[in-house]
Amino acid sequence: MLRTALRNVLAHKARLLMTALAVLLGVAFVSGTLVFGDTVAQAYHSASAASLQGVAVSVRAAEPTTTPDTAGGEEAPAPDPSGNGDPKRTTAVDTALARKIGQLPGVASVRPTVHGEATVAGKDGRPVSADSSRQHLATNYVPGKDGKDSHYPLKAGRGPAAANELALDAGTAEKAGYRIGETIRFALDGPVLTKKLVGVVSTDDPRITAGGSLTLFDTWTAQQLFRHPGEFDELAVAAQDGTDERALTDRVRALLPATGVQALSGADLAVEQSAQIARDTRSLTKTLLVFAGIALFVGVFLIANTFTMLIARRSRDIALMRAVGASRRQVVRAVLIEAALLGLVASAAGFALGLGIATALRPLLNTTGAGLPDGPLVITPVAPLASLAVGVAVTVLAAWLPSRKAAKIAPVAVLSSVDQAPPGRALRVRNVLGTLLTGAGALVMLYVSTLRTSKESHLMLAMLGSALTLGGVIVLAPLLSRPLITLAGKVTTRLCGVSGKLAKENALRNPRRTAATASALMIGLALITGLTVGGHSAQRAMAKEATQGLTADYKVTNSTARGLATDTAAKVARVPGVAAAAPVTSAGLDTQGEYAVLTGTDPKAFGKTARLDVRAGSLRDLGKGKIAVSDAFARRTGLGVGDTLDAELGSGAASGTTHRKTLAVVAVYAKTRAADDALGTLADVLPYADSQELESVLVKAEPGRAAGLERTIRAALGDNPLLKVRSQEQLVQENNGPVTTVLNMMYGLLGMAVVIAVLGVVNTLAMSVFERTRELGMLRAGGLDRSGVRRMVRLESVVISLFGAALGIATGTFLAWAGGGLTTSSMQEYEMVLPWGRLALFLALALAIGVLAAIWPARRAAGLNMLRAIQPH
C-alpha cells in the first residue's frame, strides 16, 4: 500500500499542486509566526542582556510623580500648584549612597544614572518624533576614564560636559537634519529650553531604534532637569572578578534606607526582564497563530475537495484493488499515506517560506509603531517540528473522510470516471445538522446584540456564537447553493446563452464540491467583511466623538499630562486671523451621589467654537455660580432649569480635598463631548481643576483665514514641541489611527486565507475539467467552439466565487451587527454603518477571483483534442 500511495502521488503531481500550495502557505504562516516569536524574544533578551552587561546589582529609586525643574539659569517652569514646595521626586538614590556602595568589598565600579523625558523640536518647531506612541528618553552621559560612555558609543563629536550642551542619538539627529554645533530646542514638561549639540551617539535600545529619541546631558544638568543635585534614579553596580553576586547584593541591601529604594541582583533583573519579554511577545505570537489557524482551516476545504475528486477519478483502480484482496482498512491507509506524504513535502517547503515571512514581519510591524528590536533569525527545534506536525496532521485529517468514501467502493461495481452526486439521505442529514448549528449560532449572536458591555465573558460568548454561525453556514452551503446558483444561472444563461446554462449545470452537478469550494472563499470574506463593517462603524463613531459639538477650526492641547498656561487663550486670541479662542478645563462634580465632569470656559468665546443643542433655558445666562447641565445628567439627578444643587468640586491631585459650592441650573443641553456633563464659567471651575491649568483652547478662525493658521498659533506660543495644534480633520485622523492600523494589519493577515481560497477555485475547476474530458469532447463535437468552452468554464468559476462572496458578506455583516453592541460602553456614538463602497469592492474582488482562477482550467478545456477526448477509457 505504501508503494501504491507513492505511485499515486507521482502520477497526480499536477492535480495535487494546488493542494500542496494550500498546505505550504498555511504551514508557512505557522512556521513564520513561531520563528518570528522566538526571534523577537531573543532580540529582546539580547538587548536587555546588553543593558545588563557588567551589572551585578541594580539599586533603584521610586518613579517620578511630578514635574521637573530647569537648569543652567534658563527659564523655569511654573511653580508647584499645590503649594507644597518642590515638585520633584522625594525618593532618590544620592551621591552619599553611591559612595558607600563603591567602598564595599567586591565592587568594581558604580554607574549612577538619571532618567527622564525630553521632546526634541525639529527645525520647523514640531517634535522630531511626532508620533505620540514613540518614547522621548533622556538620561545622563557617564564618561569613563577615557572620556567616553561605553553605553552610548560616539558617532560624531563628544559627550556633553557642560550645562549648555547635549548629545542626540544618530536617528534623531539625521531625521531633524541637525549638525554638531547647532542649537537644539527641546521641552521637558514646561517651557522650551535650548542647548548646543556637541555629540551624536549610537544605541541599540529598541525604544529608540523603533522611532523614539534619546537626549543625553551631563550628570549635573540631568540632575537639575529631572531630580536634585546629587540624586539619581539608579545605580548600576559592577562586581570584581570572582565576587559572588548574591553576597554582594546582600551587602548592598544592608546599606539601603528602609523604604523607597530597592536592590536587585543581576540574575533577578534578568529573570524580571525575561518574564516581561515573555508577556510582551506571547500575545503577539498568539494573535498571529490565530490567523495561521484560519488559513489552515480554509486549506482543509481545498484538501478535502482534491482527495474527493481524485478518489472519484480513481474509483475503477480502487475497485480492482478491492477485487484482488485489498481490505477497506488498507484502502483508507493508502489514501492517508498519500495525504501524509503530500503534507510532509508541502510542510517542508512551507517551513522554508516561513523563514522569509519571519524576516519580513519585523519591519512590517515596526511601520505600525511596534518598536521591535533587530536581531538574527532564531530557529529552535520546536518551530520545524511543530510546522511539519501541523501540516501533516491537517492534510491527513482533511483526507480522512474521502478515504472512508474510497473504502466503501464495491469491488464488482461498474463505475464511470465521472464524479457522482452524493446520496440524498447524506445531504438531508447534513442539512438538518447545518440548520441546528446555524440556528444555535444565530440565537447566541442575537442575545449578544442585547449586551452593552465588553466583559471577557461577553467576548467569549460572541466568539462562540460567531464560530457556530460560520460552521452552520458551511454545513448548509450545499443546500443554499441550489437556489443561489440557479438564480445566478438565469443571468448567465440570458447573457451568454448555452455556455451560461452549461456553467450553471456544472456548478449544480455536485453541491458538496461546489459548496466546499465556495466555503473556503466565504470564510475569508466573512471575516474581512465583519472586520470592515465593525471597523468602519467604530471609525465613524470615533470621528463623531472627536469633533462632536465642535465648530472650532483648531484645538490646542499639550502632549504631556501637564496642561496649558492660563493665559494661553488670551495669547491665541491676539493672533491675526483668529476670531475666537475659548479656554477649556474641567473638574469633578459630585451631587446627590452622582459624579459628573464640569467643563469650565468663557461662555462667549465657547459659543463661537462649539455648538450645543439647548433643550431648556439659555446659555446666555451662564455666569458666576450658574451652570448648564446635559440632558443625561439632568435625568440621573432630576435637575431642571431654575433648580439649585449643593455640589462638591474636587481639586484632585493638587491638594486631595473637595470644596462645597451651591450652583444654579440655567440651561439643559443635549449631551456632547465638547461640554461633558455640565458647563460653567472658567472662574468657577479653574480653581478646582486637577492642575489648575487649561486642558485645551478651542480656536475659531476668521472667514477664509483657517489655512496656515496652525503655524502662526504655534509661533505665538513659542513653538513648544509639546504643543499640539490640530484641525478637526487631524483630530479625526488621530482618533481613528489605531483602528486603521489594526484593520490594515488584519486585512494583510486574512489575505492569506483568501489566496488559499483562490487556489481552491483553481483546483476544483482544473480537476472538474479532468473529470469531464469526454463530456467536453462531445460538446466540441456537437458544435461548441473553443471560445464557448472557455466561456463556460469562466462562468462556472464566477458563479462559484460570487456564491461564496454572497454567503461571506451576508454572514460577516450579521456577525458585525450582532457583536457591535459590545462596544457601546466605551464608544457611546457607535452604530452600525455599512460601507457600501467596500462591500461592492468585495463583490468585484470575488468576480475578479472567478475570472483569474479560470484562466488555466479554461485554456486546458479549450485545448483538448476532440477525437481523443471522446474515446472511451
Side-chain angles (χ1 to χ4, degrees):
M1 300 310 294
L2 178 60
R3 286 196 300 270
T4 301
L6 285 171
R7 186 169 60 250
N8 285 332
V9 169
L10 296 175
H12 302 98
K13 295 187 292 293
R15 304 184 195 184
L16 293 171
L17 177 61
M18 296 301 174
T19 303
L21 282 174
V23 178
L24 183 150
L25 290 174
V27 170
F29 213 158
V30 172
S31 64
T33 299
L34 294 174
V35 172
F36 169 75
D38 293 335
T39 297
V40 171
Q42 184 58 48
Y44 273 121
H45 279 295
S46 299
S48 64
S51 66
L52 294 177
Q53 187 174 7
V55 178
V57 185
S58 172
V59 181
R60 299 174 175 178
E63 291 296 321
T65 56
T66 52
T67 54
D69 202 7
T70 55
E74 299 176 352
E75 186 179 2
D80 176 30
S82 69
N84 291 340
D86 197 334
K88 295 179 183 179
R89 295 165 257 186
T90 57
T91 304
V93 179
D94 57 22
T95 304
L97 179 60
R99 189 179 300 113
K100 289 179 182 178
I101 293 175
Q103 294 171 353
L104 287 174
V107 173
S109 65
V110 177
R111 176 190 170 88
T113 57
V114 180
H115 304 306
E117 290 190 359
T119 304
V120 177
K123 294 183 178 181
D124 60 355
R126 297 182 177 87
V128 175
S129 299
D131 188 346
S132 59
S133 65
R134 310 296 187 183
Q135 299 194 45
H136 309 293
L137 305 181
T139 188
N140 57 319
Y141 189 83
V142 185
K145 294 180 181 179
D146 59 354
K148 298 179 181 179
D149 188 339
S150 59
H151 278 66
Y152 304 107
L154 286 166
K155 296 193 70 175
R158 59 177 176 81
N164 66 336
E165 297 177 347
L166 60 76
L168 295 174
D169 67 281
T172 300
E174 182 179 358
K175 191 183 303 181
Y178 284 131
R179 299 289 181 266
I180 300 295
E182 290 186 311
T183 298
I184 308 298
R185 302 173 69 255
F186 66 96
L188 307 179
D189 197 8
V192 177
L193 307 176
T194 58
K195 295 185 185 297
K196 180 182 177 182
L197 180 64
V198 297
V200 175
V201 304
S202 61
T203 176
D204 56 1
D205 189 326
R207 296 171 296 178
I208 309 305
T209 57
S213 64
L214 174 67
T215 309
L216 297 170
F217 307 97
D218 69 278
T219 299
W220 183 84
T221 302
Q223 290 173 332
Q224 291 288 322
L225 293 172
F226 305 114
R227 279 201 173 273
H228 288 294
E231 291 184 349
F232 305 97
D233 289 289
E234 183 179 9
L235 302 176
V237 182
Q240 295 176 356
D241 292 340
T243 301
D244 183 82
E245 190 176 278
R246 294 289 183 185
L248 180 58
T249 303
D250 291 338
R251 290 197 291 271
V252 170
R253 284 175 179 160
L255 298 177
L256 302 184
T259 59
V261 182
Q262 62 176 345
L264 292 175
S265 67
D268 289 338
L269 278 175
V271 170
E272 180 183 278
Q273 292 193 3
S274 295
Q276 183 61 46
I277 290 168
R279 287 192 295 270
D280 291 342
T281 57
R282 189 182 300 120
S283 59
L284 177 60
T285 302
K286 284 183 178 179
T287 301
L288 294 173
L289 283 174
V290 167
F291 288 93
I294 292 171
L296 284 170
F297 182 63
V298 171
V300 165
F301 293 92
L302 194 161
I303 298 165
N305 249 5
T306 300
F307 277 94
T308 298
M309 288 186 287
L310 281 176
I311 286 165
R313 182 71 174 175
R314 301 202 309 259
S315 56
R316 188 183 299 276
D317 295 338
I318 294 172
L320 289 173
M321 289 170 55
R322 294 278 284 116
V324 297
S327 66
R328 289 189 174 188
R329 183 174 298 179
Q330 286 178 312
V331 172
V332 170
R333 192 181 305 149
V335 175
L336 295 183
I337 290 173
E338 184 178 345
L341 292 172
L342 175 68
L344 185 62
V345 174
S347 299
F351 177 75
L353 179 60
L355 299 181
I357 292 176
T359 304
L361 271 176
R362 188 196 62 79
L364 179 65
L365 292 176
N366 276 347
T367 60
T368 67
L372 302 175
D374 291 322
L377 280 182
V378 176
I379 305 174
T380 63
V382 173
L385 291 177
S387 300
L388 293 175
V390 167
V392 172
V394 166
T395 311
V396 170
L397 180 64
W400 182 68
L401 286 177
S403 71
R404 287 175 57 84
K405 182 180 178 181
K408 294 177 182 179
I409 296 175
V412 296
V414 179
L415 302 171
S416 68
S417 61
V418 179
D419 188 19
Q420 300 297 320
R425 182 179 177 278
L427 283 177
R428 284 195 296 272
V429 172
R430 177 170 180 156
N431 293 339
V432 171
L433 177 61
T435 302
L436 292 175
L437 284 175
T438 306
L443 287 175
V444 172
M445 294 308 295
L446 288 173
Y447 172 70
V448 168
S449 70
T450 65
L451 304 175
R452 291 294 179 265
T453 57
S454 54
K455 296 179 181 178
E456 184 177 353
S457 59
H458 295 167
L459 292 174
M460 295 300 293
L461 191 62
M463 292 175 64
L464 173 63
S466 299
L468 287 173
T469 304
L470 271 175
V473 172
I474 291 169
V475 177
L476 271 181
L479 177 65
L480 298 173
S481 66
R482 182 163 295 279
L484 293 178
I485 290 178
T486 299
L487 180 63
K490 291 181 178 180
V491 178
T492 59
T493 301
R494 182 177 293 273
L495 294 177
C496 303
V498 174
S499 296
K501 185 176 182 179
L502 289 172
K504 179 198 73 171
E505 296 299 330
N506 289 334
L508 291 174
R509 177 176 298 181
N510 190 323
R512 275 186 172 176
R513 189 174 68 198
T514 297
T517 305
S519 294
L521 184 60
M522 183 272 288
I523 295 168
L525 283 180
L527 295 174
I528 290 176
T529 299
L531 284 173
T532 301
V533 173
H536 180 73
S537 301
Q539 286 178 321
R540 289 285 293 270
M542 293 172 71
K544 190 182 294 185
E545 288 184 358
T547 59
Q548 189 181 41
L550 292 182
T551 58
D553 295 296
Y554 292 97
K555 184 176 183 179
V556 182
T557 57
N558 196 322
S559 60
T560 67
R562 183 171 178 167
L564 301 168
T566 54
D567 63 347
T568 303
K571 289 181 179 179
V572 174
R574 293 193 291 269
V575 173
V578 172
V584 177
T585 193
S586 65
L589 181 151
D590 197 339
T591 182
Q592 303 177 27
E594 292 286 343
Y595 179 80
V597 177
L598 175 62
T599 300
T601 186
D602 174 359
K604 184 177 180 180
F606 189 77
K608 298 178 181 178
T609 58
R611 179 176 57 251
L612 299 185
D613 180 11
V614 179
R615 301 293 174 84
S618 174
L619 295 177
R620 295 189 183 90
D621 296 330
L622 283 174
K624 186 175 181 181
K626 299 176 180 179
I627 65 170
V629 297
S630 70
D631 52 0
F633 185 60
R635 283 193 298 270
R636 297 202 309 268
T637 57
L639 292 170
V641 175
D643 293 337
T644 59
L645 63 149
D646 291 326
E648 288 187 351
L649 300 180
S651 56
S655 66
T657 61
T658 57
H659 301 267
R660 300 198 66 84
K661 192 175 182 71
T662 301
L663 301 170
V665 178
V666 297
V668 177
Y669 58 87
K671 184 174 181 181
T672 175
R673 190 174 180 180
D676 291 316
D677 301 301
L679 182 68
T681 64
L682 190 66
D684 277 341
V685 179
L686 187 61
Y688 312 110
D690 283 351
S691 63
Q692 295 186 336
E693 292 182 314
L694 302 181
E695 293 176 0
S696 64
V697 174
L698 303 178
V699 183
K700 184 65 177 178
E702 294 175 353
R705 303 286 299 274
L709 194 58
E710 178 258 353
R711 187 70 192 89
T712 311
I713 293 172
R714 292 190 65 88
L717 298 178
D719 263 340
N720 192 317
L722 297 177
L723 282 177
K724 289 184 176 181
V725 183
R726 294 163 293 172
S727 64
Q728 288 204 20
E729 183 180 353
Q730 289 170 326
L731 286 171
V732 170
Q733 289 176 348
E734 184 174 290
N735 241 26
N736 288 347
V739 176
T740 302
T741 298
V742 169
L743 282 177
N744 290 337
M745 188 172 71
M746 295 292 190
Y747 287 151
L749 295 174
L750 287 173
M752 186 74 75
V754 175
V755 170
I756 294 175
V758 173
L759 293 176
V761 178
V762 175
N763 206 33
T764 297
L765 291 173
M767 300 196 72
S768 179
V769 169
F770 280 120
E771 291 174 358
R772 304 202 306 264
T773 298
R774 190 175 185 190
E775 177 187 323
L776 289 170
M778 296 296 292
L779 288 172
R780 291 278 288 115
L784 190 64
D785 58 14
R786 294 180 185 273
S787 62
V789 172
R790 283 195 295 268
R791 190 182 307 116
M792 177 187 70
V793 176
R794 278 198 299 266
L795 288 174
E796 182 181 353
S797 176
V798 167
V799 166
I800 293 173
S801 298
L802 289 178
F803 168 56
L807 281 184
I809 292 173
T811 305
T813 301
F814 169 73
L815 295 178
W817 167 79
L822 298 179
T823 65
T824 54
S825 60
S826 58
M827 205 177 298
Q828 298 294 328
E829 297 298 322
Y830 182 90
E831 60 179 352
M832 194 180 86
V833 180
L834 290 178
W836 293 107
R838 296 185 190 179
L839 297 182
L841 179 63
F842 295 158
L843 280 175
L845 175 64
L847 181 64
I849 287 172
V851 173
L852 293 175
I855 291 176
W856 177 58
R859 286 173 59 89
R860 181 174 184 84
L864 288 174
N865 184 286
M866 188 190 313
L867 295 178
R868 290 180 182 174
I870 62 177
Q871 290 177 355
H873 297 285

